[in-house]
C-alpha cells in the first residue's frame, strides 16, 4: 500500500487517497430515503494530505490546487473539523484527554467530484489523530463515528479495495484486485448528487456479479455505474470525457460515484502518464491525473 504515513515529534502526516467506484449499483431505497448500494471501491496514490501539529488552541487551514474552493476557519461544516471534534468527544468519554491540534489540509482533489474527497479527508483526520494522540478507540465505535460523518467515510477509513453494501457501512475486503493504472478526469463542473438520484429511473437494479467465479476484468465488464446515465444527462461533458479517455486507449472507462470525475484504466503507468499529457493539451482547463491504485 503506497500510503504516505509519517509520524514525528512535531508533525503527523496522513494520506487521504482518492476513492474510486470501479462499479456502483443502486439496488434499492430505504424508507428514510437513503439509497441502497453495492459498490466495488479502490483507492489511488492521488489524493489529499492531512498534516497535524500540536498547538495552543485548535486551528485548521487549507492549501493546494483546490484549497481556495473550501472555507477554512475553525468550525462550520468542514468534515475535517467535525471529525476532530467528534473523535475528541468519543475519546473524552473513555477518559482519554487529548491536546489541541493544528490541522492543515492540502487539497489536491477537485471538490464534490465523486472521488470521496471530503470523506477521505475526514477518514484521514480520524486515522491521523489517533496516531498523533497515541489514542485508542474500539473498532465498532470508530466505525459508528465514521458513519455519522458520512456514508462514504467508513470505506475511506479502510482505504483498501473493498465491496461496500447498504448505504456504505457493510464492508467486505476485496483481495483479488490487482494494481491498476488509471487517469482521473474531471471537467471542473459540479453536478448535484440529489438531482442525479431524483433522475435515476430504476432504483432497484441488479446486484454486482459474483466476483468469486470470474476474473476481475470480466467483473468490471459485467458491472456498471447506475448513476452515470442521469449524471451525463445533467452534465454532457461527462460523455465527452469518457470519449476522450477511450480515444487515448483506456481498456475500461467509467464515471466514479455521482461524478463528475471519470477514470480510464490503462495497461501501464507509462501509458496512463502519456494519456494524461495528451489530455491536458486537448482540454487545458480540465483536471487530469495519472495515478495507480494502492
Amino acid at each position: 500500500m503506497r500510503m504516505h504515513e509519517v509520524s514525528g515529534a512535531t508533525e503527523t502526516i496522513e494520506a487521504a487517497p482518492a476513492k474510486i467506484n470501479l462499479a456502483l449499483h443502486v439496488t434499492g431505497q430505504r424508507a428514510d430515503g437513503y439509497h441502497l448500494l453495492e459498490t466495488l471501491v479502490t483507492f489511488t496514490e492521488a489524493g489529499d494530505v492531512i498534516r497535524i501539529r500540536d498547538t495552543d488552541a485548535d486551528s485548521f487551514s487549507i492549501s493546494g490546487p483546490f484549497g481556495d474552493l473550501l472555507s477554512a476557519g475553525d468550525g462550520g461544516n468542514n468534515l475535517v473539523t467535525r471529525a476532530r471534534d467528534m473523535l475528541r468527544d468519543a475519546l473524552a468519554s473513555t477518559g482519554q484527554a487529548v491536546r489541541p491540534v493544528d490541522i492543515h489540509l492540502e487539497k489536491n482533489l477537485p471538490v464534490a467530484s465523486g472521488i470521496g474527497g471530503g470523506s477521505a479527508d475526514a477518514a484521514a483526520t480520524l486515522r491521523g489523530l489517533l496516531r498523533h494522540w497515541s489514542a485508542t478507540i474500539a473498532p465498532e465505535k470508530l466505525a459508528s463515528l465514521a458513519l455519522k460523518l458520512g456514508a462514504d467515510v467508513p470505506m475511506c477509513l479502510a482505504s483498501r479495495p473493498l465491496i461496500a453494501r447498504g448505504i456504505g457501512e457493510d464492508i467486505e475486503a476485496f483481495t483479488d484486485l490487482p494494481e491498476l493504472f488509471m487517469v482521473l478526469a474531471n471537467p471542473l463542473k459540479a453536478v448535484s448528487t440529489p438531482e442525479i438520484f431524483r433522475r435515476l429511473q430504476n432504483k432497484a437494479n441488479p446486484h454486482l456479479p459474483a466476483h468469486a467465479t470470474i476474473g476481475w476484468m470480466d467483473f468490471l465488464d459485467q458491472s456498471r455505474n447506475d448513476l452515470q446515465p442521469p449524471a451525463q444527462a445533467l452534465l454532457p461533458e461527462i460523455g465527452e470525457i469518457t470519449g476522450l479517455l477511450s480515444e487515448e486507449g483506456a481498456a475500461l472507462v467509467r464515471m466514479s460515484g455521482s461524478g463528475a470525475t471519470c477514470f480510464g484504466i490503462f495497461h501501464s503507468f507509462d501509458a496512463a502518464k502519456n494519456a494524461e499529457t495528451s489530455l491536458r493539451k486537448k482540454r487545458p482547463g480540465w483536471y487530469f491525473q495519472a495515478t495507480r491504485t494502492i
Side-chain angles (χ1 to χ4, degrees):
M1 179 178 291
R2 294 180 175 86
M3 288 182 64
H4 183 39
E5 294 183 0
V6 177
S7 287
T10 59
E11 186 176 63
T12 299
I13 302 175
E14 185 76 28
K19 173 188 67 69
I20 308 300
N21 297 91
L22 294 173
L24 194 162
H25 293 202
V26 181
T27 59
Q29 187 172 18
R30 300 194 320 193
D32 60 7
Y34 278 98
H35 290 84
L36 299 175
L37 310 174
E38 285 190 356
T39 179
L40 171 61
V41 171
T42 191
F43 295 84
T44 72
E45 290 182 342
D48 298 337
V49 180
I50 292 287
R51 302 175 187 273
I52 305 169
R53 290 177 178 267
D54 291 339
T55 186
D56 293 331
D58 284 337
S59 59
F60 174 56
S61 58
I62 308 174
S63 67
F66 299 99
D68 59 347
L69 300 179
L70 297 175
S71 173
D74 184 45
N77 291 320
N78 189 284
L79 281 173
V80 169
T81 56
R82 287 177 58 199
R84 176 202 64 198
D85 296 343
M86 290 174 67
L87 180 60
R88 175 179 278 129
D89 289 345
L91 294 174
S93 70
T94 64
Q96 299 179 78
V98 294
R99 55 199 183 272
V101 286
D102 169 70
I103 301 178
H104 181 79
L105 167 61
E106 181 184 309
K107 192 66 188 169
N108 300 314
L109 299 176
V111 176
S113 57
I115 50 178
S119 297
D121 297 341
T125 299
L126 295 175
R127 291 193 306 266
L129 284 174
L130 285 171
R131 290 196 298 119
H132 189 82
W133 285 330
S134 299
T136 57
I137 186 172
E140 61 273 13
K141 178 66 176 177
L142 182 61
S144 174
L145 192 155
L147 187 59
K148 289 178 182 177
L149 286 164
D152 283 353
V153 180
M155 60 186 88
C156 290
L157 195 60
S159 282
R160 63 179 182 268
L162 55 87
I163 291 178
R165 298 180 175 87
I167 64 171
E169 83 288 2
D170 181 6
I171 292 173
E172 170 194 352
F174 192 94
T175 58
D176 299 331
L177 197 66
E179 180 182 49
L180 302 176
F181 310 103
M182 60 178 61
V183 174
L184 309 182
N186 188 293
L188 299 183
K189 291 185 178 180
V191 287
S192 166
T193 298
E195 180 61 23
I196 289 171
F197 276 105
R198 276 195 293 270
R199 288 174 174 242
L200 188 63
Q201 292 184 352
N202 187 358
K203 300 187 178 183
N205 297 287
H207 294 257
L208 288 171
H211 62 85
T213 61
I214 56 178
W216 71 269
M217 199 63 189
D218 288 334
F219 178 92
L220 292 180
D221 286 338
Q222 294 178 27
S223 61
R224 60 194 185 275
N225 183 343
D226 288 327
L227 301 183
Q228 186 167 339
Q232 188 168 321
L234 279 172
L235 188 66
E237 284 90 341
I238 291 172
E240 186 178 352
I241 277 183
T242 57
L244 288 169
L245 287 167
S246 294
E247 289 173 9
E248 295 295 332
L252 183 134
V253 176
R254 188 164 288 158
M255 187 183 81
S256 177
S258 58
T261 302
C262 299
F263 62 88
I265 297 177
F266 291 82
H267 64 83
S268 70
F269 188 63
D270 284 343
K273 287 292 292 182
N274 290 337
E276 175 196 356
T277 300
S278 175
L279 289 164
R280 286 181 183 272
K281 292 177 180 177
K282 291 178 180 178
R283 297 292 185 276
W286 291 6
Y287 168 84
F288 298 102
Q289 178 66 58
T291 188
R292 67 185 94 206
T293 56
I294 57 175

